[in-house]
Amino acid sequence: MNAMQDMTGGRELVMVSNRLPVDRVTNDDGSTSWRASPGGLVTAVQPIVEQLGCVWVGWAGSADEAVEPFELGAMRLVPIELSAEDIALYYEGFSNGTLWPLYHDVIAQPEYHREWWDRYRRVNQRFAEQVAATASEQAIVWVHDYQLQLVPAMLRELRPDLTIAFFLHIPFPPGRLFAQLPWRRQVVRGLLGADVIGFQQTTDAVAFRMAVERFTRAPALGNTIVLPASADGPSRTVLAQEFPISIDAESFAEIARRPETRERAKEIRADLGDPRIVMLGVDRLDYTKGIRHRLKAFNELLEDGELDPTDIVFVQVASPSRERVDAYRQLRDEVEGTVGRINGAHGTIGRAPLNYLHRGFTRDEMVALYLAADVLLVTPLRDGMNLVAKEYVACRDDERGVLVLSEFAGAADELRDALLVNPHDIEGLKAAIVRAAHMPREEQRRRMHALRRAVADNDVAHWAAGYLGAVRAAAESGEIGVGG
Ligand code: ADP
Ligand code: F6P
């Protein structure tokens, strides 16, 4: 057993997430292939499971397609089929039209539809049944994210021998907001089926424990919730605590050190016209990411003459996301309209101040972009963590570059040496962008040095050790009957 496998005490590990780590895509010629699924969940979790090995249960990303289980590296992937109606009601509806906006401080208006909830419950039940049929005796099952909050309790009922862990990758909302959810009690009870519930930030864990006290009356002693004996089983405890997620910093640093990556970074700058300053934004095209606010600030700085469009290029990478959900369609129209207006007003022949890229890139190309950027703008209105900020820092072993970071991203708890901003304050955001564009090398070095230490000290191995250590302790306490 290596150090990683030791984390599960030799038990089988079953990952469960809405999406598998790879999505099935149909190519132009009709053939199909697999590509990495979008988002931070896979970036963070993949390096752990590559070492540990696991079974991974999730959706393959297309509608009405039954895919047989298959092996991928150290993983055995078990696809769950979702119909077009499941996708519309469970995924686009309840997950991304109700929970996503509610859990992100109602930046968009959550919609509450009983039909969506009903399908969410049914799809969660299907996930639980598939896991129950797949997991070996005494396995550790690790359920991920807001799409599957009912799975822990459903699974416990089917398979009481399992140790169940849950991790919420997005924020848990404050009490007044969570209370809006018509099915708040069911969600809390669903999560409490787990032995360990992990959150990104202390505030999330506190908000959850308060919701438990309010909606179930089960008391919390510190981080531990004590569930009384009931018809469903004996008294037991649930650990609900923050475990801030991270990245495999060394694997990003390794790509960044390669001569070909450095060469590619230079090429990118040359292709952009070798401007004095390259600014970068990298986000899923999501209304939580603050892209509208960022573009507004950038446009005003060009209009005020505080940034010179012949001197600066802003590259905004916006990965396609949830394109059939109304709020995302609207956002795309708005962002693309704004990009056109900015370039129309401030571009010159052969040179546009804004380079907008609406597509996915390879990891190597992302790293080259990070190296090419003098300034990274990470300005979400709300974000569970934001791994892009950590990736930029991990790549900059030259100790150059400036990170402008929203105080509403979970990452701001650790990355205190970034230029922290309130993205709602457009004047403050503009001032931070100007400061970043003119920051002296020595200040860049000092800040980046401290940021790199923060990311290196809390990388994904550290996160996994803390989280899986708690899960393993729960598994072992169960075996000897403590808390059970
Ligand atoms: P979220 O999980 O909300 O999407 P994160 O910042 O935590 O946000 O994680 C996003 C992940 O997706 C990062 O690992 C980032 O490198 C990756 N990513 C974002 N945009 C792209 C893109 N266009 N191409 C490839 N990877 C991307
Ligand atoms: O935590 C954010 C999240 O929903 C993850 O589950 C996933 O990594 C990412 O966003 C991508 O979202 P989607 O699966 O809806 O494309």
Side-chain angles (χ1 to χ4, degrees):
M1 226 177 344
N2 65 30
M4 272 280 193
Q5 283 162 340
D6 194 40
M7 284 183 197
T8 59
R11 292 168 186 81
E12 180 185 59
L13 178 63
V14 181
M15 302 299 251
V16 193
S17 62
N18 172 55
R19 270 185 206 278
L20 287 170
V22 285
D23 261 354
R24 191 167 165 91
V25 282
T26 306
N27 306 311
D28 293 342
D29 63 359
S31 63
T32 55
S33 53
W34 296 92
R35 63 152 187 234
S37 297
L41 189 159
V42 173
T43 303
V45 173
Q46 183 117 19
I48 303 168
V49 296
E50 267 168 14
Q51 290 196 48
L52 274 176
C54 76
V55 177
W56 195 321
V57 178
W59 170 47
S62 50
D64 294 299
E65 205 177 5
V67 184
E68 286 303 309
F70 63 101
E71 312 284 327
L72 183 71
M75 299 181 282
R76 177 171 169 71
L77 305 190
V78 180
I80 293 232
E81 186 179 340
L82 293 185
S83 67
E85 210 178 46
D86 291 333
I87 294 169
L89 303 176
Y90 145 78
Y91 169 70
E92 290 160 357
F94 198 76
S95 298
N96 290 313
T98 304
L99 293 173
W100 182 268
L102 179 67
Y103 282 31
H104 285 89
D105 288 357
V106 298
I107 294 164
Q109 187 59 41
E111 291 181 43
Y112 303 114
H113 298 297
R114 285 164 285 184
E115 206 192 359
W116 289 2
W117 160 252
D118 188 48
R119 188 60 65 110
Y120 180 81
R121 222 172 23 76
R122 281 159 50 192
V123 172
N124 271 239
Q125 183 68 41
R126 281 207 326 258
F127 270 81
E129 284 164 10
Q130 179 62 261
V131 176
T134 306
S136 64
E137 187 75 7
Q138 309 282 327
I140 288 177
V141 177
W142 184 353
V143 185
H144 293 267
D145 234 355
Y146 61 102
Q147 301 96 339
L148 300 176
Q149 293 174 102
L150 306 181
V151 169
M154 291 169 166
L155 188 56
R156 179 169 292 278
E157 202 173 317
L158 295 167
R159 289 286 305 272
D161 61 297
L162 301 173
T163 299
I164 304 172
F166 182 90
F167 190 84
L168 186 67
H169 291 255
I170 67 173
F172 190 85
R176 258 181 314 106
L177 296 182
F178 185 67
Q180 285 186 14
L181 187 67
W183 307 281
R184 58 204 186 181
R185 277 199 177 77
Q186 291 95 316
V187 167
V188 168
R189 287 199 199 110
L191 290 168
L192 287 175
D195 297 286
V196 175
I197 309 175
F199 296 92
Q200 299 281 25
Q201 291 186 273
T202 311
T203 45
D204 303 318
V206 169
F208 175 72
R209 293 195 299 263
M210 286 172 72
V212 171
E213 291 195 332
R214 178 164 171 198
F215 297 117
T216 73
R217 305 212 174 279
L221 301 173
N223 293 335
T224 304
I225 295 155
V226 184
L227 298 178
S230 72
D232 298 336
S235 165
R236 60 184 188 88
T237 57
V238 179
L239 180 70
Q241 190 188 311
E242 66 281 7
F243 294 92
I245 204 167
S246 197
I247 55 164
D248 181 356
E250 179 44 33
S251 82
F252 280 91
E254 188 275 316
I255 301 173
R257 281 193 296 266
R258 291 180 198 159
E260 62 270 27
T261 315
R262 295 186 175 254
E263 210 35 57
R264 175 69 193 134
K266 278 199 202 127
E267 223 174 80
I268 291 172
R269 287 190 75 104
D271 289 348
L272 292 170
D274 271 324
R276 189 180 65 84
I277 297 289
V278 174
M279 291 199 184
L280 176 68
V282 175
D283 312 83
R284 271 183 311 100
L285 189 43
D286 193 301
Y287 52 81
T288 58
K289 302 288 184 180
I291 301 170
R292 285 188 266 233
H293 295 62
R294 200 182 300 160
L295 293 180
K296 187 176 179 64
F298 183 64
N299 185 40
E300 287 187 17
L301 287 168
L302 293 173
E303 276 175 358
D304 302 346
E306 287 200 65
L307 291 182
D308 174 358
T310 63
D311 191 41
I312 191 159
V313 173
F314 176 18
V315 179
Q316 175 65 56
V317 176
S319 358
S321 191
R322 306 174 191 163
E323 296 194 286
R324 285 153 36 108
V325 177
D326 274 350
Y328 289 75
R329 277 204 193 126
Q330 264 176 34
L331 174 73
R332 182 172 177 190
D333 287 350
E334 225 179 284
V335 164
E336 295 187 351
T338 307
V339 169
R341 276 193 294 280
I342 292 177
N343 282 336
H346 303 287
T348 50
I349 288 175
R351 184 143 184 163
L354 230 165
N355 208 297
Y356 170 77
L357 303 162
H358 182 249
R359 60 175 177 276
F361 292 95
T362 62
R363 169 76 55 90
D364 292 3
E365 187 72 355
M366 295 298 295
V367 172
L369 274 166
Y370 290 141
L371 288 183
D374 302 290
V375 177
L376 180 76
L377 300 176
V378 178
T379 59
L381 307 178
R382 191 76 179 96
D383 207 335
M385 174 55 64
N386 197 286
L387 296 182
V388 166
K390 294 187 173 183
E391 290 170 4
Y392 180 62
V393 168
C395 291
R396 299 310 305 241
D397 76 346
D398 56 356
E399 299 193 333
R400 282 170 60 178
V402 184
L403 173 63
V404 175
L405 178 62
S406 165
E407 56 188 77
F408 301 114
D413 279 1
E414 296 161 73
L415 304 182
R416 306 305 299 170
D417 286 276
L419 290 185
L420 294 178
V421 291
N422 168 4
H424 297 279
D425 170 11
I426 300 293
E427 287 306 321
L429 185 52
K430 284 162 64 180
I433 292 173
V434 170
R435 187 170 166 203
H438 295 106
M439 187 178 283
R441 282 280 160 78
E442 183 44 35
E443 185 179 353
Q444 288 186 31
R445 199 202 56 73
R446 184 176 53 70
R447 286 177 180 272
M448 191 51 83
H449 186 79
L451 290 170
R452 288 176 58 75
R453 169 151 301 174
V455 171
D457 286 352
N458 197 2
D459 73 351
V460 80
H462 180 265
W463 173 70
Y467 183 75
L468 287 174
V471 175
R472 183 179 168 173
E476 285 166 1
S477 73
E479 276 164 12
I480 53 170
V482 177

